Amino acid sequence: MPDITVSALGLDYADKTAIDDVSFTARDGEFLTLLGPSGCGKTTTLMSIAGLTNPSRGSITCGADVLFDSARSVNRPPEKRNCGVVFQSYAIWPHMSVAENVGYPLRLRKVRKPEIGSRVREALAMVGLDALADRYPHQLSGGQQQRVALARAVTYSPGVLLLDEPLSNLDAKLREQARGWLKEFQASVGLTTVFVTHDQDEALAMSDRVIVMNDGRIEQEGAPEDIYRRPATPFVASFLGSANLLDGTVDAPGRVRLDGGGQTVAVPEDGPLGGVQVMVRPEDVELMAPGADPDVAPLRGAVTSRMFVGSSYRYVVDCDGQSVTVSARERWEPGPVRLRVDREHCRLFPRDTAAGVAGSDRLEESSYA
Amino acid sequence: MTSSTSVSPSVPALRRGGEGGADRLVQWGTWLLVIVLIFGPIVPVVYAGFVDRPLYESGGILTLGNFAALAEDPAFWAALRNTALFALFAAVPGVVIGAGLAVLVGRTDLPLRRALSVVMVAPLLFPGLGVTLGWVTMYSPSGFVSSWAAGQLGSTPWNLYSIPGMALVTLEKTVPLVYLMVRARLSALDTSIESAALTAGAGPARVLWTVTLPMLRPALLTAAILIVMIAFETLGLPLILGGPVDIDTLSTYLYRTWTSDPERQGTVSAAASGLLLLVTLLLWLRTRVEGDGGRYTTAAGKPSAARSLHLRALRWPLVLLVWCYALVAIVLPVVGLVMTSITNIFAPGVSPWSMLTSRHFETVFSNAALLRSITNSLLIGVVGAVLATAGLTLAALVAHRSRFRLRASLPPVLFYPRALPGIVVGVGTFWVFVLVAPLEPLRTTVWGIMLAFIVRNTAVGYAAIHSSLLAISTELDAAARTSGASWLRTCRDIVVPMLRPALAGCFILMFVSLLNDYDPAVFLVTTGNEVLGVTMLKQWAAGFTGPVAALGVIQIAITALAVSIGRLAWGVRPRA
Ligand SMILES: Nc1ncnc2c1ncn2[C@@H]1O[C@H](COP(=O)(O)OP(=O)(O)OP(=O)(O)O)[C@@H](O)[C@H]1O
Ligand SMILES: [Mg+2]
């Protein structure tokens, strides 16, 4: 399977730049995810690869094939790109049976009838739908339609598989199952896959690599653990999981004085200087009794609210005017507490990049919602 | 990756090269065809207005002389004034009655609403001339109702052969149009705003007046503009009712000057260009108003279960009033038409039952020219509807489902013929056939007339396809494209099969429109290519009302048959 390389891709609409300077490579057999909030340009990027949107600049190559290159005015039409695409709505053709849907790409490639039959059966068996070959789309559930779409996208051995939020139409339970199933399927077929989602759990669970996009640009690119543990920007920090972002100033290497009361926290030493934001995730903060040893739990604060979220409690702790969200299994009553912050898991961002934070100093709740 | 062989990579690759060549050819071809067909007939009309001699004479010099001559012709100004009055008299009652009926049916608990709804739109399918004849038998000074009224009141308080009389007869067509437009608007409005006003203590009449009516303003305005457009372009009605008393409207002025005074073709063309400009402006205005309509939309999606206002004591008086209207304006003229076709004389004072005859139908079927007009009209209807449906489908696909560079120009062009007066299309087509030598043989054939009719009615068919096409998700064709299908193949295999009901609708509506159209044909008909409407017009002018009525009845019967088939098989409905 070839690599897909996107370089310096940009697309301008009359009143808006949908994507700008997007570059990445999806390596052979890799499961690459484009993750970002609604309207950040994920679909635009994906559909540019498929040839369904015309970018304004940049280039896209698939192995040695140039699919699009604005400088050389190459723009191969979608039918000549050999991409397998699964659309958000699945786009199963309602006037064709399941088998006809899956066999259509083969018919276009002039494959002989008996072979079409056997390949369709093979593909449907792979997605576990061999019994439903003669049904029509309206007789299928959402999950089954999604599998038909997938089978249709892979029967003709496309060079790359493009998936645009294929799980977003499923209910929560089914989505969970489909996630595991899809990942397995992709690994077994070994297709280079570009997957688009705005669901961070999905991205973290399924991908080999994740590209986080924001407002038409790439924010960060890396393995799931990597970007979760070491977000490059406050935006990434708060878009993936929840993050506390505390304002402060570095007054010595490895020490930040927080705005408000002037309490200090220990942070890793390799960071920016001057005005910073300290990022720490709720699960990396520990609540301790007000009488705890200040060396172990240096921050003073007061629990202002508590929410039961099933596996744990979520607390909001007021720390000299900045609120810190803490996730803990023990039950604490509102009132004074001490906080222990896991130094290794803190990240520092220079204060001026804070402009791009999703939801600014509010905590992003998505992972617990 | 042990199991990666489960998708074996031995699928033949797609052919390379000639990327989208066929697609592009079809797209350009379609676009050019649309542009040539729709603007082709307009060019010579406008051009003829600006040269100093008939188009068939060479060496024409550009001039404004024709417009000057027109401005000096008092008959032109009289015609313009008459048309303006005619438009006014037609628009005001048309909008009031149509909107009133729509509100009563759509928003109140008026009894028998469904039946009324069917009766209200039926006239849209009636041939214009036949119905006019029906009105004449009932309401002309010697008509049934008029004589009865004269007997009761001493004199008839109305006169059909006058501008208000003409306006009265147009109600037949305009009221259903307004009715449909307002109904459509009403069903897009959320009834909860009315309920809110009701709970706030307003009475039903007050709610209608202060809440519903203002929300309808854009629809009422577009309806009024539409009626004005109709008044300006309609030919048959003013010819028949205005002709005998020398009342010219713009279109009859054009028609008469054209047919009686070949020397003045330049002036006629100048007037036709003016008419074209005016109607185009009206269309533009209408689109503007419709576009602004979004502002008045209250909620997306379906309205909550439509609530109806209780009329209480007004219920029965209103029912009576509404059905009286239906009787007077819809039922009686049709009765008049049918009776004329099956009696020797249909006049007051003579019992029609003693006069029954099948003579008129026999005439129609034994007279070669009359019979030919039926077969020609059917031929034009069927062949034209097939061709138009195919062409409009392609055009709609290029406009909405391709990345063709000029695609955005197609929808306005395809809707533009709404503003093309039949006379302009007729004169223009005539000129094209005269001037373009290879097309000359078409001039005296039914195919020439068919082309003119198709051009004039594109908007009807296009509207039917357009809305359904927009309802089909573009991801469905995107999926076919990425699977390896070219644009053309995608259209053929995916979009067109899903569009089938809309195509059937387009076919039926085109058939009915082509069957009933006649304005453009008055300039093209010769022996051999007669069509129903023109034959009726000529027979009537010659005083043979019996055969006219018989032809009208036949026309209604064919239309009704086509529409019922469409309705039963595909749920086709007439629309504004
Ligand atoms: N035809 C268009 N004209 C103008 N702007 C457009 C058009 N299509 C998309 N956009 C804009 O481009 C931006 C990127 O759109 P895109 O569909 O790629 O977002 P997305 O990341 O897929 O979002 P979502 O998660 O909601 O699907 C959006 O801000 C959108 O408003
Ligand atoms: Mg999207």
Side-chain angles (χ1 to χ4, degrees), chain A residues 50-54 65 75-80 83 85 87-96 104-111 119 122 126 152 154-157 187-190, chain B residues 1-20 23 403 473 475-487 489-490 492-495 497-498:
Chain A
L52 295 166
T53 337
N54 279 334
D65 284 346
N75 189 5
R76 200 180 275 187
E79 64 267 25
K80 302 266 165 60
C83 296
V85 185
F87 295 87
Q88 190 166 357
S89 64
Y90 307 144
I92 312 285
W93 302 307
H95 59 295
M96 295 187 187
Y104 183 71
L106 298 172
R107 235 172 73 205
L108 292 172
R109 287 166 174 76
K110 306 231 162 30
V111 176
R119 275 170 173 287
E122 203 178 302
M126 260 194 315
R152 186 179 65 187
V154 299
T155 33
Y156 51 98
S157 320
S188 71
V189 182
Chain B
M1 286 224 297
T2 42
S3 55
S4 67
T5 44
S6 58
V7 177
S8 24
S10 62
V11 176
L14 287 158
R15 280 160 297 113
R16 286 276 144 79
E19 294 191 344
D23 291 353
R403 285 205 243 151
S473 158
E475 283 195 349
L476 291 168
D477 15 340
R481 294 299 299 277
T482 54
S483 297
S486 65
W487 175 78
R489 186 83 197 253
T490 303
R492 197 192 82 186
D493 291 350
I494 307 295
V495 188
M498 282 190 283

Side-chain angles (χ1 to χ4, degrees), chain A residues 246-268:
Chain A
L246 305 173
D247 292 337
T249 316
V250 178
D251 64 355
R255 204 176 66 183
V256 171
R257 185 172 299 280
L258 295 182
D259 293 1
Q263 305 193 62
T264 58
V265 281
V267 296

Side-chain angles (χ1 to χ4, degrees), chain B residues 210-554:
Chain B
T210 57
V211 179
T212 314
L213 200 65
M215 300 290 287
L216 290 178
R217 208 172 290 144
L220 300 183
L221 204 54
T222 36
I225 296 173
L226 180 68
I227 298 180
V228 173
M229 283 168 71
I230 292 175
F232 267 87
E233 69 156 330
T234 188
L235 175 64
L237 179 71
L239 211 51
I240 286 165
L241 295 183
V245 287
D246 285 328
I247 297 176
D248 258 338
T249 63
L250 216 46
S251 49
T252 56
Y253 167 81
L254 286 175
Y255 173 71
R256 288 224 285 239
T257 320
W258 173 273
T259 45
S260 63
D261 197 352
E263 292 300 300
R264 301 186 55 205
Q265 280 175 0
T267 328
V268 173
S269 295
S273 319
L275 178 62
L276 187 64
L277 183 69
L278 184 81
V279 185
T280 305
L281 280 176
L282 286 170
L283 179 70
W284 176 79
L285 200 64
R286 182 181 160 190
T287 335
R288 275 288 303 272
V289 176
E290 270 173 351
D292 285 348
R295 207 153 46 87
Y296 291 80
T297 312
T298 45
K302 288 229 173 74
S304 46
R307 284 202 28 148
S308 39
L309 298 169
H310 295 291
L311 295 172
R312 300 184 200 136
L314 284 176
R315 265 181 103 194
W316 295 106
L318 276 173
V319 165
L320 208 64
L321 187 70
V322 165
W323 283 97
C324 274
Y325 170 79
L327 180 72
V328 167
I330 300 170
V331 179
L332 283 183
V334 174
V335 170
L337 174 69
V338 173
M339 291 311 288
T340 310
S341 76
I342 56 171
T343 52
N344 276 315
I345 305 168
F346 183 62
V350 189
S351 160
W353 308 118
S354 65
M355 288 287 158
L356 288 184
T357 175
S358 60
R359 174 165 79 92
H360 303 311
F361 286 93
E362 282 159 21
T363 312
V364 165
F365 286 107
S366 58
N367 179 317
L370 295 190
L371 187 60
R372 208 159 47 225
S373 69
I374 299 178
T375 51
N376 281 346
S377 280
L378 278 175
L379 192 65
I380 288 176
V382 173
V383 177
V386 169
L387 291 179
T389 305
L392 288 171
T393 307
L394 253 183
L397 288 169
V398 173
H400 301 288
R401 294 312 239 246
S402 79
R403 285 205 243 151
F404 179 60
R405 202 172 315 151
L406 303 170
R407 63 182 183 274
S409 62
L410 279 177
V413 170
L414 288 167
F415 276 126
Y416 179 61
R418 286 193 292 188
L420 278 181
I423 321 170
V424 174
V425 177
V427 173
T429 312
F430 176 84
W431 276 127
V432 170
F433 291 156
V434 168
L435 297 176
V436 184
L439 296 180
E440 158 63 27
L442 279 179
R443 188 170 59 86
T444 53
T445 63
V446 285
W447 311 119
I449 295 178
M450 183 186 77
L451 275 181
F453 283 4
I454 290 181
V455 168
R456 181 135 184 271
N457 291 287
T458 50
V460 176
Y462 180 63
I465 298 179
H466 163 91
S467 48
S468 302
L469 187 58
L470 294 187
I472 297 175
S473 158
T474 50
E475 283 195 349
L476 291 168
D477 15 340
R481 294 299 299 277
T482 54
S483 297
S486 65
W487 175 78
L488 210 54
R489 186 83 197 253
T490 303
C491 291
R492 197 192 82 186
D493 291 350
I494 307 295
V495 188
V496 168
M498 282 190 283
L499 214 51
R500 242 174 239 153
L503 299 187
C506 174
F507 175 82
I508 298 285
L509 293 176
M510 281 310 276
F511 172 78
V512 171
S513 305
L514 299 183
L515 185 78
N516 290 332
D517 203 354
Y518 65 92
D519 288 5
V522 294
F523 302 97
L524 297 165
V525 160
T526 55
T527 310
N529 67 352
E530 300 91 342
V531 291
L532 273 175
V534 181
T535 303
M536 286 162 78
L537 203 58
K538 291 192 167 159
Q539 291 284 314
W540 196 341
F544 304 119
T545 49
V548 175
L551 287 173
V553 168
I554 291 171

Side-chain angles (χ1 to χ4, degrees), chain A residues 42-44 88 164-165 196:
Chain A
K42 308 176 297 283
T43 300
T44 307
Q88 190 166 357
D164 189 4
E165 314 211 18
V196 157

